């Protein structure tokens, strides 16, 4: 479909037929990265969206984001490449007009470019985020009962819980299929000497553990300890137990690992006894919404 008038007429009919959470996606033939959507919100309103791009795809260029801002688009978190750029519109005609303007003015496609049309729904994504929100509320309630006060959060929204001589992080995340996973982890060591002996030692150590695992971040010369829980099975007893195991295991091994493989414990970082920042990546960072 190449004729702009025919495309407009067809899109307006498709958008009018949308039900809640449904969307029509328009993309130049052979270039799916230039996809633009019209989505029907739960309340019946319409919005035009430039979908976010996960790490497996090239990031949305800065120039395109700037042009979207100029046309009234916004992202909940511009630093998060997974977040879409969205603009609400009043009616079907305005929505389709904006789609065609984004294609030509922002993405610099020709006005008569052949386009592919696809249909889908954001309902599953909406329901998954509702589950994540419920899991976060449950986690906050449990952690508050453990500490007697609200627990601090980092820039990723992960909860920070100082216990014994370590800092435990509780990280609720969504997998791509909508499953809620809660990762409980801590950094044990930094500045370690990354050697085959260290990798072999951690593999043997993990084999003997009943719960949790050690992981080696070779790029940042850091050792982590973590365990994962399914959000659907989360309970106060299970979360308390997991936090305790992560804290006690990390506290038991961080000094030993330092003696064997050099570097420093992360507790020494937290107390400014060594100058080493937090490793910028987290275990299991990929594969999540």
């Amino acid at each position: 479909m190449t004729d702009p008038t025919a495309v407009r007429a067809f899109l307006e009919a498709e958008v009018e037929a949308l039900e809640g959470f449904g969307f029509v996606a328009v993309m130049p033939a052979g270039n799916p990265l230039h996809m633009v959507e019209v989505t029907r919100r739960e309340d019946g309103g319409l919005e035009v969206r430039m979908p976010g791009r996960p790490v497996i795809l090239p990031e949305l260029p800065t120039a395109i984001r700037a042009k979207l801002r100029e046309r009234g688009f916004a992202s909940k978190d511009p630093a998060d490449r997974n977040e879409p750029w969205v603009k609400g519109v009043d009616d079907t005609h305005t929505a389709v007009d904006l789609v065609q303007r984004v294609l030509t003015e922002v993405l610099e496609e020709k006005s008569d470019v052949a386009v592919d049309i696809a249909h889908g729904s954001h309902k599953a994504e909406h329901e998954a985020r509702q589950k994540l929100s419920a899991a976060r509320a449950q986690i906050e309630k449990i952690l508050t009962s453990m500490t007697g006060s609200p627990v601090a959060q980092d820039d990723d929204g992960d909860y920070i819980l100082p216990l014994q001589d370590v800092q435990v992080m509780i990280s609720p995340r969504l997998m791509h299929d909508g499953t809620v996973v809660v990762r409980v982890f801590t950094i044990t060591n930094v500045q370690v000497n990354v050697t085959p002996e260290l990798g072999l030692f951690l593999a043997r150590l993990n084999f003997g553990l009943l719960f949790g695992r050690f992981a080696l971040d070779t790029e940042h010369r850091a050792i982590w300890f973590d365990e994962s829980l399914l959000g659907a099975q989360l309970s106060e007893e299970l979360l308390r137990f997991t936090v305790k195991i992560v804290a006690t295991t990390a506290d038991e091994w961080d000094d030993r690992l330092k003696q064997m493989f050099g570097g420093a414990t992360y507790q020494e970082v937290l107390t400014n006894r060594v100058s080493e920042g937090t490793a910028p990546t987290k275990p299991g960072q990929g594969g999540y919404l």
Side-chain angles (χ1 to χ4, degrees):
M1 188 178 296
T2 60
D3 180 63
T5 303
V7 171
R8 172 183 287 277
F10 179 80
L11 281 178
E12 288 189 359
E14 295 296 294
V15 171
E16 273 303 311
L18 287 175
E19 298 182 352
F21 301 111
F23 68 83
V24 176
V26 184
M27 69 209 83
N31 192 358
L33 286 180
H34 281 188
M35 179 189 296
V36 186
E37 298 176 1
V38 181
T39 301
R40 178 80 67 184
R41 298 194 304 264
E42 184 178 17
D43 63 6
L46 293 171
E47 58 188 28
V48 177
R49 299 161 52 110
M50 176 72 76
R53 294 185 180 179
V55 293
I56 60 173
L57 297 176
E59 189 171 6
L60 195 64
T62 302
I64 290 180
R65 283 179 279 166
K67 290 180 180 180
L68 290 172
R69 282 196 191 93
E70 291 171 0
R71 288 158 180 80
F73 285 79
S75 170
K76 290 181 179 179
D77 181 3
D80 185 351
R81 58 185 295 157
N82 294 290
E83 287 289 341
W85 288 79
V86 180
K87 181 178 181 179
V89 292
D90 294 330
D91 52 49
T92 297
H93 178 81
T94 305
V96 174
D97 180 66
L98 183 56
V99 167
Q100 293 187 314
R101 285 177 53 210
V102 169
L103 287 173
T104 57
E105 298 174 9
V106 176
L107 301 175
E108 299 181 349
E109 298 286 350
K110 295 181 179 179
S111 60
D112 61 349
V113 66
V115 296
D116 294 327
I117 309 294
H119 297 80
S121 174
H122 291 298
K123 186 174 183 179
E125 178 184 337
H126 172 75
E127 292 175 344
R129 294 192 183 281
Q130 285 185 314
K131 289 193 295 183
L132 178 62
S133 179
R136 293 186 66 88
Q138 182 183 10
I139 291 169
E140 289 177 10
K141 182 178 179 180
I142 295 171
L143 295 181
T144 299
S145 72
M146 292 173 61
T147 63
S149 61
V151 176
Q153 299 179 41
D154 67 8
D155 292 340
D156 294 326
D158 297 339
Y159 301 97
I160 306 170
L161 191 61
L163 285 176
Q164 301 183 51
D165 285 331
V166 299
Q167 180 173 270
V168 179
M169 308 286 288
I170 298 90
S171 174
R173 290 287 186 271
L174 280 174
M175 296 187 68
H176 288 305
D177 64 356
T179 300
V180 177
V181 175
V182 181
R183 303 207 70 156
V184 182
F185 61 91
T186 184
I187 308 172
T188 62
N189 298 79
V190 295
Q191 301 176 345
V192 295
N193 297 318
V194 179
T195 62
E197 290 75 18
L198 171 57
L200 180 60
F201 181 83
L202 293 179
R204 288 173 172 169
L205 183 56
N206 285 337
F207 186 75
L209 294 174
L210 291 175
F211 205 76
R213 62 164 187 169
F214 283 94
L216 177 60
D217 180 356
T218 56
E219 182 179 354
H220 303 101
R221 298 172 57 202
I223 300 174
W224 305 70
F225 185 76
D226 75 294
E227 181 58 274
S228 297
L229 307 172
L230 288 176
Q233 300 173 354
L234 190 64
S235 66
E236 180 169 355
E237 180 182 11
L238 181 57
L239 184 58
R240 282 178 175 268
F241 172 79
T242 305
V243 168
K244 179 182 177 181
I245 288 294
V246 169
T248 56
T249 305
D251 189 40
E252 176 184 359
W253 281 99
D254 57 357
D255 286 315
R256 298 190 203 180
L257 291 169
K258 173 186 173 181
Q259 292 172 1
M260 298 172 67
F261 300 102
T265 69
Y266 192 59
Q267 182 62 22
E268 292 174 321
V269 174
L270 296 176
T271 56
N272 297 317
R273 283 178 279 168
V274 295
S275 57
E276 173 73 18
T278 304
T281 55
K282 296 180 179 179
Q285 192 109 2
Y288 295 87
L289 292 179

